């Protein structure tokens, strides 16, 4: 107990002495320190500086250091490239911390800085002129330099960067940041850590990140003589879910700055990665659940300036992935792929390319991968501002299972098997954004083979069943080869061409033109022309298919329409704008032969 009392007394005496010494320093040196700081700010910062209030030197705010509090600190920008100056930096509170013994020896260099609440507004105009020129050091007398830092702390400071020339916009908030190191040495190691909130990172019209938190830790080796900064052991955490490691260098060569960094992410969760996507892309995944692991290796290399961007390249992969629609149990299983990214020759979103290789997935329920077939694909996406895709895919698909996974607006009760081989090059847009020119500026080819195909068009009374045949894709047209099937009680075999088929599927203003040879053993027009409207014996409503024009060379064994019956019907039938015409037709009816022509106009008022 005696030893403890002596130790406690010694600590108390040392603490009391320190406080008294600090009070002495703050009382007799406060004015001198304040004048020195304000003078050095004026000398070393090449811009207009305004300070709202300077508190007296205190030892209690940042004990055991003496601190000088500057409130409402405002630095105006250079005004370069602007009609008038604007605020460059504003700090609600700036704490400059000094060693008590140093002050007593009249060495007023700042050892630590603490910043609370403020903003930094950096701008580059469309000519590459900056609004900032931060520091002008007085090299003639190094003893007058203000800073001899070993630590900096930042709390709640918003950083805004706008580059009109490169169409870049960065807005982020430094919630908590710390930097430690012996900054006065020519060579030293700096330890950094911080918590940031990214409000927006935008390049041209492409938003890279919005409303994301980011944690940062890194060790930085600084060589002032070689103007070289080397990062080791760096880590970034996005939204407290995705972890990345990074290392690399930043060097100054003359008036140019060069970067060479490597960023790695392993075992990243797919849902968390999707959350990082821009809103326009993320909305495509809202109806789906997904899992799986993503790996990313990214390199950043080259000159970095207000006018020049570095080259960015990356490789990535997915293993053990699956995607499931939220409204059913069906899903894509066993997803795997490899890919590459490059920002291209112009180092911009416009010249960027994303390549997906060896894409593979199976269709099925959980644990039943073989129920729906499999898909293999390779594709390349060009120009992230106005994306176009080069796409190749092949596979065998159970259409019933596929319809459970993909919502098709116009078709229901889909079933059957399709074997697909498709090539496509054209724009990527949502269905509502496609225009006619998009389809005519795209190319596509391939084959689709159907077996046992069954479906219904929504709002149609007919059912389509037992279809089989081949489609040959040639840009916007589909060639039909030996397509057989039944529509309600009618049957047919069709060979020919569906013109403008792809725009017709996507655009409500486009028409489908069918030029084909039709064979049928039975064709019931009562069913084929029926609608959901009520019909009476005296008032029959005809409704030809909307936006579909036919030119059919018909060979029909039996045909019926209300009380009309005929056999051995042959001739050319056209349906254009709801008008049916048939010339040079022949058929047998009522124990006789008939030759002639026919026209039915379904456009007349009802």
């Amino acid at each position: 107990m005696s030893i403890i009392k002596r130790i406690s007394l010694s600590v108390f005496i040392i603490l009391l002495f320190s406080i008294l010494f600090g009070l002495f320093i703050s009382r007799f040196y406060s004015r001198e320190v304040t004048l020195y700081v304000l003078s050095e700010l004026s000398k070393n910062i090449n811009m207009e500086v305004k300070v709202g209030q300077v508190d007296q030197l205190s030892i209690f705010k940042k004990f055991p250091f003496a601190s000088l509090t500057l409130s409402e600190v405002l630095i105006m920008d250079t005004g370069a490239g602007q009609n008038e100056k604007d605020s460059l930096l504003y700090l609600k509170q700036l704490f400059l911390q000094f060693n008590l013994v140093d002050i007593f020896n009249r060495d007023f260099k700042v050892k630590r800085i603490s910043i609370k609440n403020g903003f930094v507004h950096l701008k580059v105009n469309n000519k590459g002129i900056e609004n900032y020129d931060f520091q002008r050091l007085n090299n003639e007398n190094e003893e007058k330099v203000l800073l001899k830092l070993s630590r900096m702390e930042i709390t709640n400071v918003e950083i805004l960067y706008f580059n009109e020339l490169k169409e870049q916009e960065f807005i982020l908030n430094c919630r908590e940041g710390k930097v430690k190191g012996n900054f006065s040495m020519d060579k030293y190691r700096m330890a950094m850590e911080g918590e940031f909130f990214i409000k927006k990172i935008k390049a041209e019209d492409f938003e890279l990140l919005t409303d994301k938190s980011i944690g940062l830790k890194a060790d930085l080796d600084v060589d002032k003589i070689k103007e070289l900064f080397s990062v080791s052991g760096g880590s970034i955490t996005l939204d407290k879910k995705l972890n990345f490691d990074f290392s690399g260098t930043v060097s100054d060569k003359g008036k140019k700055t060069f970067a060479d960094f490597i960023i790695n992410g392993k075992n990243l969760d797919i849902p968390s990665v999707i959350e990082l996507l821009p809103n326009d892309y993320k909305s495509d995944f809202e109806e789906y659940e997904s899992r799986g692991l993503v790996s990313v290796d990214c390199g950043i290399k080259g000159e970095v300036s207000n006018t020049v961007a570095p080259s960015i390249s990356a490789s990535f992969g997915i293993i053990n992935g699956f995607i499931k629609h939220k409204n059913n149990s069906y899903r894509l299983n066993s997803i795997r792929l490899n890919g590459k990214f490059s920002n291209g020759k112009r180092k911009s979103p416009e010249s960027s390319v994303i390549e997906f290789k060896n894409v593979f997935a199976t269709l099925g329920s959980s644990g039943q991968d073989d129920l729906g077939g499999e898909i293999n694909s390779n594709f390349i996406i060009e120009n992230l501002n106005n994306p176009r895709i080069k796409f190749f895919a092949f596979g065998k698909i159970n259409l019933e299972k596929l319809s459970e996974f993909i919502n098709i607006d116009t078709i229901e009760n889909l079933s059957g098997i399709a074997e697909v081989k498709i090539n496509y090059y054209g724009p990527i847009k949502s269905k509502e954004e496609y225009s006619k020119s998009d389809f005519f500026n795209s190319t596509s080819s391939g084959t689709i083979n159907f077996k046992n195909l069954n479906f219904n068009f929504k709002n149609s009374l007919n059912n389509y069943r037992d279809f089989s045949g081949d489609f040959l894709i040639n840009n916007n047209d589909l060639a039909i080869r030996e397509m057989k099937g039944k529509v309600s009680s009618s049957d047919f075999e069709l060979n020919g061409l569906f013109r403008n088929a792809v725009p017709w599927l996507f655009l409500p203003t486009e028409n489908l033109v069918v030029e084909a040879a039709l064979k049928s053993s039975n064709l019931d027009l009562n069913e084929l022309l029926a609608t959901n409207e009520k019909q009476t014996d005296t008032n029959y409503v005809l409704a030809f298919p909307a936006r579909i024009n036919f030119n059919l060379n018909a060979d029909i064994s039996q045909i019926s329409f209300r009380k009309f019956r005929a056999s051995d019907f042959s001739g050319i039938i056209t349906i254009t704008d709801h008008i049916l015409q048939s010339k040079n037709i022949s058929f047998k009816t009522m124990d006789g032969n008939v030759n002639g022509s026919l026209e039915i106009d379904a456009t007349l008022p009802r």
Side-chain angles (χ1 to χ4, degrees), residues 305-346:
S305 71
N306 294 323
T307 58
V308 179
S311 295
I312 301 175
S313 61
S315 60
F316 54 89
I318 295 177
I319 58 172
N320 301 325
F322 88 82
I323 300 176
K324 170 186 171 297
H325 196 283
K326 292 181 179 178
N327 295 330
N328 58 61
S329 62
Y330 205 69
R331 65 193 210 176
L332 289 175
N333 291 315
S334 305
I335 299 173
R336 64 175 184 266
L337 62 85
N338 297 310
K340 296 188 297 184
F341 167 82
S342 170
N343 63 348
K345 292 182 178 180
R346 283 184 282 179

Side-chain angles (χ1 to χ4, degrees), residues 54-314:
V54 181
D55 294 345
Q56 185 173 340
L57 196 67
S58 170
I59 66 164
F60 296 107
K61 291 181 179 180
K62 299 292 181 180
F63 186 81
F65 288 85
S67 65
L68 189 68
T69 304
L70 280 64
S71 302
E72 309 292 342
V73 179
L74 179 65
I75 298 178
M76 306 301 292
D77 65 19
T78 60
Q82 304 174 100
N83 295 326
E84 58 184 23
K85 292 184 178 181
D86 196 1
S87 54
L88 172 69
L89 180 145
Y90 169 79
L91 302 176
K92 185 74 173 178
Q93 287 183 312
L94 171 62
F95 299 92
L96 305 179
Q97 300 173 48
F98 308 85
N99 184 286
L100 291 171
V101 176
D102 288 347
I103 293 177
F104 184 74
N105 294 322
R106 285 187 163 76
D107 180 0
F108 301 148
K109 293 185 180 64
V110 179
K111 295 298 181 66
R112 294 185 177 185
I113 290 178
S114 295
I115 296 170
K116 285 188 176 181
N117 305 320
F119 66 82
V120 181
H121 191 182
L122 310 176
K123 291 186 290 186
V124 180
N125 70 8
N126 55 15
K127 296 180 180 178
I129 301 174
E130 305 164 341
N131 73 331
Y132 51 90
D133 183 12
F134 280 121
Q135 196 169 9
R136 179 183 62 196
L137 295 177
N138 186 343
N139 294 321
E140 295 179 1
N141 188 350
E142 292 185 359
E143 292 301 317
K144 291 186 178 181
V145 175
L146 175 63
L147 303 178
K148 195 174 182 180
L149 287 179
S150 62
R151 184 184 181 98
M152 179 183 294
E153 297 179 351
I154 301 173
T155 304
N156 191 30
V157 174
E158 189 164 73
I159 302 168
L160 303 95
Y161 174 82
F162 300 95
N163 188 321
E164 292 183 7
L165 181 65
K166 295 171 65 175
E167 298 182 55
Q168 293 177 342
E169 181 180 357
F170 303 162
I171 304 176
L172 59 94
N173 181 276
C174 179
R175 292 171 168 171
E176 295 286 344
K178 295 179 182 179
V179 181
K180 302 176 184 178
N182 192 349
F183 304 142
S184 61
M185 302 290 290
D186 289 334
K187 294 182 180 182
Y188 62 91
R189 169 160 286 200
M190 179 192 304
M192 303 180 296
E193 61 178 296
E195 294 290 333
F196 301 86
F197 183 79
I198 299 174
K199 294 184 177 179
K200 181 190 295 185
I201 295 181
K202 183 178 180 181
E204 298 181 13
D205 294 327
F206 190 71
E207 288 195 1
L208 300 174
L209 289 175
T210 56
D211 298 331
K212 304 297 177 188
S213 64
I214 180 171
L216 171 68
K217 282 187 178 182
D219 292 326
L220 177 65
D221 291 312
V222 180
D223 189 331
K224 292 182 180 178
I225 298 173
K226 295 182 179 179
E227 295 186 287
L228 178 66
F229 305 86
S230 302
V231 178
S232 60
S235 66
I236 297 172
T237 303
L238 290 173
D239 276 351
K240 299 181 180 179
K241 298 176 183 178
L242 301 176
N243 299 309
F244 298 86
D245 299 324
F246 70 97
S247 60
T249 61
V250 176
S251 59
D252 289 330
K253 297 179 181 179
K255 295 183 179 181
K256 295 183 178 180
T257 300
F258 293 86
D260 188 354
F261 275 87
I262 296 175
I263 303 172
N264 307 110
K266 304 297 182 185
N267 298 323
L268 308 176
D269 184 58
I270 285 181
S272 300
V273 174
I274 291 174
E275 282 298 314
L276 296 180
L277 295 175
N279 291 330
D280 290 344
Y281 291 86
K282 186 167 60 177
S283 60
D284 295 335
F285 296 89
E286 289 179 353
E287 296 181 356
Y288 298 91
E289 298 175 2
S290 58
R291 291 180 191 168
L293 298 177
V294 179
S295 62
V296 179
D297 296 303
C298 179
I300 301 172
K301 189 171 184 177
E303 183 181 349
V304 182
S305 71
N306 294 323
T307 58
V308 179
S311 295
I312 301 175
S313 61

Side-chain angles (χ1 to χ4, degrees), residues 481-497:
R481 186 171 60 192
E482 297 183 357
M483 186 171 76
K484 300 177 181 180
K486 296 179 181 180
V487 181
S488 296
S489 63
S490 301
D491 65 89
F492 66 90
E493 179 180 335
L494 200 64
N495 286 276
L497 190 64

